[in-house]
């Protein structure tokens, strides 16, 4: 074979240099996209009152790679703040996630007495399911202060996921309103525009602290309300629990025991399974397509004898314009009102239950 001429060797060398440069440039262009993919996990703070369905929500979150739990804060609600803290520490220890800060927050609502829910959650708050003592330590911070710190550390990145009464969230933004525009969004379990579960009008989390809910709903940040309108249509069944038990590690066994309790408490109430309310809010953060939402103006009733704690949704986002006319009032038109909440009105229940079971099965 004829040897390369000097000119051919130079051309070949330059070609290799060009290919190398192109390769380096391509890698450099891909790195930011890869880094973005690696860090695309949604940073969340779970504010919770564990609670049976809260425990399932926490386990779903820790077993979902889409989520990056930056903190768990405890509020009194289903159980006292002390018992809620103990339960959260035990659940996170079971999941091997002691690196997540867990902080005790408000021990009572802003202006009313605490009403705990042993009937719906069992004496220990976990449906009687037992957990080994926690290897996790609680944070020394007050829950609302931890929320403020994390939002300031990760501006525009934190999604707040309150799945209990809204006392901690209200305290945080009352203490430091400047965090409101720094929060990415709020996805909460609470409320209903079609009736309550504490009484005819009010859902438990909102009913537990209506004044706190009013502060949160009127803060001016993006809110998605995952209420009874969808959670009561999202039921875990004995067949689903059997799937958990068929391939059960410690987390799945605990989740199955909690779910069995949930199913039992709903027997005789017209439900065909156990409502796992709080877990659906976490599911909505993982996959928003699970929900169908409608923008509405939602106000919190704080005065009504029969409706205190009701989330009053304005489906048309409009009110009559009423003016005085002598000894009477007259409607002269209609005024638009600004929506403040995305209200979940529909849910792909079977897809969510499949997500929940598949994420916990075998754990």
């Amino acid at each position: 074979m004829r040897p390369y001429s000097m000119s051919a060797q130079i051309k070949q060398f330059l070609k290799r240099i060009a290919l190398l440069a192109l390769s380096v440039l391509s890698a450099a262009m891909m790195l930011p996209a890869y880094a973005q993919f690696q860090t695309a996990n949604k940073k969340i703070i779970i504010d919770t009152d564990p609670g049976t369905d809260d425990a399932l929500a926490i386990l779903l979150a820790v077993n979902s790679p889409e989520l990056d739990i930056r903190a768990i804060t405890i509020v009194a609600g289903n159980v006292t703040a002390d018992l809620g803290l103990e339960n959260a520490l035990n659940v996170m220890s079971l999941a091997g996630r002691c690196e997540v800060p867990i902080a005790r927050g408000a021990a009572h609502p802003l202006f009313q007495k605490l009403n705990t829910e042993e009937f719906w959650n069992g004496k220990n708050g976990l449906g009687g399911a037992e957990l080994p003592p926690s290897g996790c330590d609680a944070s020394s911070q007050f829950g609302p202060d931890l929320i403020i710190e994390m939002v300031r550390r990760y501006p525009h990145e934190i999604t707040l996921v309150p799945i209990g009464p809204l006392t901690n969230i209200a305290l945080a933004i009352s203490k430091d309103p400047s965090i409101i525009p720094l929060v990415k969004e709020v996805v909460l379990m609470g409320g209903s525009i079609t009736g309550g579960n504490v009484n005819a009008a009010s859902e438990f989390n909102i009913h537990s602290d209506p004044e706190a809910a009013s502060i949160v709903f009127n803060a001016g940040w993006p809110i998605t309300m995952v209420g009874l309108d969808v959670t009561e249509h999202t039921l875990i069944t004995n067949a689903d629990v059997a799937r958990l038990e068929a391939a059960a590690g410690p987390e799945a066994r605990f989740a199955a025991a909690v779910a069995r309790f949930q199913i039992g408490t709903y027997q005789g109430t017209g439900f065909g399974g156990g409502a796992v309310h709080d877990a659906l809010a976490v599911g909505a953060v993982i996959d928003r397509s699970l929900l169908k939402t409608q923008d509405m103006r939602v106000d919190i009733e704080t005065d009504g004898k029969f409706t205190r704690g009701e989330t009053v949704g304005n489906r048309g986002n409009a009110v009559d314009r009423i003016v005085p006319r002598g000894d009477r009032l007259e409607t002269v038109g209609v005024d638009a009102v600004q929506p403040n909440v995305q209200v979940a009105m529909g849910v792909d229940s079977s897809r969510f239950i499949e997500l929940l079971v598949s994420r916990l099965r075998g754990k």
Side-chain angles (χ1 to χ4, degrees):
M1 181 181 290
R2 187 176 64 183
Y4 284 125
S5 67
M6 183 64 68
S7 175
Q9 289 177 351
I10 291 172
K11 289 179 180 179
Q12 186 70 11
F13 175 75
L14 292 174
K15 183 178 179 181
R16 288 176 179 173
I17 291 294
L19 288 171
L20 179 62
L22 181 61
S23 173
V24 170
L25 179 62
S26 297
M29 292 174 67
M30 290 175 65
L31 274 173
Y34 178 75
Q36 183 180 15
F37 175 77
Q38 290 294 89
T39 60
N41 302 44
K42 300 174 184 176
K43 293 181 176 64
I44 68 169
I45 295 173
I46 299 175
D47 187 69
T48 175
D49 57 338
T52 49
D53 51 333
D54 301 76
L56 294 177
I58 291 170
L59 286 179
L60 175 60
V62 299
N63 287 292
S64 293
E66 300 89 345
L67 304 182
D68 176 9
I69 308 171
R70 304 313 303 172
I72 294 178
T73 51
I74 306 303
V75 65
N78 284 323
V79 295
T80 64
D82 287 338
L83 181 54
L85 178 62
E86 179 184 341
N87 287 345
L89 290 168
N90 289 343
V91 170
M92 290 299 278
S93 180
L94 178 72
R97 295 296 304 275
C98 288
E99 82 283 1
V100 176
I102 304 170
R104 182 184 182 276
H108 53 77
L110 296 181
F111 299 112
Q112 67 183 35
K113 285 187 177 181
L114 173 65
N115 172 34
T116 55
E117 289 263 289
E118 284 82 357
F119 175 81
W120 293 105
N121 293 276
K123 287 294 182 183
N124 72 346
L126 301 176
E130 297 294 338
L131 288 174
S134 175
C136 302
D137 295 320
S139 168
S140 61
Q141 283 185 278
F142 183 48
D145 291 334
L146 181 57
I147 291 170
I148 292 169
E149 178 191 317
M150 287 294 174
V151 171
R152 291 205 157 278
R153 187 183 300 180
Y154 304 105
H156 312 294
E157 296 185 58
I158 294 287
T159 295
L160 298 179
V161 189
I163 52 177
L166 291 166
T167 318
N168 282 340
I169 311 301
L171 288 172
I173 61 178
S174 296
K175 181 174 183 178
D176 187 357
S178 68
I179 69 170
I180 293 170
L182 301 181
V183 170
K184 182 179 178 182
E185 63 175 335
V186 179
V187 180
L188 63 88
M189 191 279 130
S192 166
I193 64 165
T194 55
N197 59 355
V198 172
N199 55 38
S202 306
E203 179 275 330
F204 175 78
N205 285 343
I206 306 301
H207 184 266
S208 293
D209 198 341
E211 285 78 16
S214 185
I215 291 170
V216 172
F217 275 63
N218 288 291
W221 47 15
I223 298 177
T224 299
M225 186 179 96
V226 183
L228 301 179
D229 311 289
V230 288
T231 65
E232 288 188 337
H233 297 282
T234 307
L235 307 176
I236 195 165
T237 66
N238 285 318
D240 299 317
V241 177
R243 290 176 58 206
L244 280 176
E245 292 169 332
E251 292 177 56
R253 279 195 298 273
F254 169 72
V258 170
R260 290 279 190 205
F261 177 86
Q262 288 280 86
I263 294 167
T265 60
Y266 278 90
Q267 285 183 349
T269 62
F271 287 80
V276 287
H277 308 279
D278 295 337
L280 183 57
V282 171
V285 181
I286 296 168
D287 182 0
R288 189 57 59 90
S289 72
L290 289 167
L291 302 179
K292 292 181 179 179
T293 62
Q294 181 179 341
D295 289 343
M296 291 186 204
R297 175 71 206 179
V298 177
D299 291 297
I300 311 299
E301 177 58 67
T302 58
D303 296 321
K305 178 179 178 181
F306 300 106
T307 58
R308 179 169 162 79
E310 182 179 8
T311 42
V312 184
N314 189 324
R315 292 171 175 80
N317 295 314
V319 294
D320 281 0
R321 187 186 313 130
I322 300 172
V323 299
R325 287 280 191 263
D327 63 348
R328 61 187 171 83
L329 301 174
E330 181 182 339
T331 299
V332 298
V334 176
D335 291 324
V337 293
Q338 184 65 34
N340 61 337
V341 177
Q342 287 189 332
V343 177
M345 299 295 291
V347 60
D348 190 335
S349 302
S350 59
R351 189 154 63 89
F352 169 71
I353 294 297
E354 177 59 31
L355 173 71
L356 177 65
V357 172
S358 65
R359 291 288 167 92
L360 300 186
R361 193 167 188 263
K363 298 294 183 180

